[in-house]
Amino acid sequence: MSGVYQYEGLEAELYDSLDELSDFEDLDFFKWFVDAVPGPVLDLGCGTGRLLFPLVESGYEVTGLDGSQAMLDLCARRLEGEGLEAELVKGDMRAFDLGEGRFGSILIPGFSIQMLLEDDELSDCLACCRKHLAEGGQLIVPTHMPWEMIWDGRSESPLEERKSVELKGGAIRLVAYQGWQLDATAQRLRLFNRYERRDRSGALLASEEKEMTIRWHLPHDMMQLLGEAGFGDVSVYGDFCFEPPEAESDSIVYLARC
């Protein structure tokens, strides 16, 4: 079994500053459903704890699992600094064992599931989640549709600045660049990322280039895979709202119940 993409190095170090997931207003959506089902919560692909922290602060018992030790270390340091506690586990989202029937809710935030490029990998992940849910439990899986690239009309784009932030009163500038290649037939998007740390004068202090591929599924395909994994009740929402997705919805969220 080949490895799933892992955040490491400068990419992991700068993740909280340069990642765009903080732009998604998804926390209240997740909390609304988690509130409805008793039991511990598994944050699968927890990263540095973007959702894990507010859930722990709200009183939930949360376990975070991620394949990247660098991201888990950042999460652990943040937990310690805030005086909070959560179980953190390094593991593979396709094959993990934390105790059968343990969780009331499993979240796979940040579109992490789209790093599983083959149907059998996705099926293994969903089946593993089903095994770890208590009866009546729920799996919440958001996915991203790259409409911006699909509608762009091009099959690829060169590196362009995606986001920049200034730290320490402008003494440090962090910059993220991204380019992409699209294979609409295979439903795969290849992303080329470059991360930079520069000083006040613009001198380059550190840089790193990374490449990842994500895959998207159309709703009927995803619902079939969820059904095959043993989920009998699947609802679909668009853009973290409590309504069905529209044709142009960027985010499609699946709520699958046991």
Side-chain angles (χ1 to χ4, degrees):
M1 182 181 289
S2 60
V4 179
Y5 184 89
Q6 294 186 18
Y7 292 86
E8 298 175 328
L10 193 64
E11 181 182 36
E13 181 185 340
L14 305 185
Y15 184 87
D16 286 337
S17 297
L18 293 175
D19 185 69
E20 293 179 305
L21 291 175
S22 57
D23 297 335
F24 287 91
E25 297 180 355
D26 56 352
L27 175 60
D28 288 343
F29 182 90
F30 283 116
K31 287 180 69 174
W32 194 92
F33 286 106
V34 170
D35 278 339
V37 178
V41 178
L42 173 61
D43 185 349
L44 188 57
C46 65
T48 61
R50 183 182 66 89
L51 288 181
L52 182 145
F53 275 89
L55 290 174
V56 172
E57 288 174 329
S58 297
Y60 298 101
E61 179 187 344
V62 185
T63 295
L65 184 147
D66 202 279
S68 167
Q69 189 62 53
M71 299 289 268
L72 288 172
D73 289 344
L74 290 166
C75 187
R77 288 199 290 271
R78 186 178 171 192
L79 281 169
E80 183 178 4
E82 298 289 337
L84 300 172
E85 294 185 358
E87 180 183 6
L88 299 180
V89 180
K90 185 178 187 298
D92 189 324
M93 67 190 304
R94 301 165 297 181
F96 56 94
D97 186 0
L98 303 176
E100 188 168 341
R102 174 177 170 185
F103 298 97
S105 299
I106 298 179
L107 321 177
I108 311 181
F111 316 119
S112 299
I113 201 164
Q114 292 179 256
M115 294 180 183
L116 304 179
L117 302 181
E118 305 300 331
D119 280 349
D120 59 348
E121 293 182 304
L122 180 53
S123 295
D124 288 345
C125 175
L126 297 177
C128 200
C129 289
R130 176 64 183 86
K131 183 181 74 172
H132 282 77
L133 283 169
E135 287 305 314
Q138 61 187 353
L139 171 66
I140 308 174
V141 187
T143 64
H144 179 67
M145 293 294 295
W147 293 122
E148 180 181 358
M149 287 79 166
I150 294 172
W151 292 335
D152 182 272
R154 297 177 293 171
S155 60
E156 59 184 306
S157 174
L159 280 176
E160 298 176 345
E161 184 175 313
R162 174 175 61 81
K163 187 174 183 179
S164 67
V165 297
E166 291 188 350
L167 305 178
K168 300 180 180 178
I172 298 295
R173 182 169 178 255
L174 309 177
V175 190
Y177 300 86
Q178 189 171 85
W180 50 267
Q181 290 181 347
L182 181 75
D183 186 338
T185 301
Q187 297 174 193
R188 284 169 168 77
L189 178 65
R190 190 177 180 188
L191 298 171
F192 306 95
N193 295 306
R194 177 178 173 85
Y195 305 93
E196 295 181 350
R197 184 192 293 114
R198 295 181 177 272
D199 66 15
R200 190 186 301 273
S201 69
L204 184 63
L205 303 175
S207 67
E208 182 178 72
E209 294 189 2
K210 300 291 288 291
E211 178 184 321
M212 72 165 67
T213 300
I214 64 171
R215 181 186 180 189
W216 69 92
H217 285 77
L218 297 176
H220 64 275
D221 294 324
M222 190 68 178
M223 293 180 73
Q224 179 178 340
L225 289 168
L226 285 163
E228 292 172 353
F231 292 96
D233 181 8
V234 181
S235 301
V236 186
Y237 301 91
D239 294 325
F240 301 103
C241 297
F242 299 98
E243 299 290 341
E246 299 180 354
E248 67 275 13
S249 293
D250 291 323
S251 300
I252 300 177
V253 187
Y254 301 89
L255 174 67
R257 297 182 178 89
C258 297

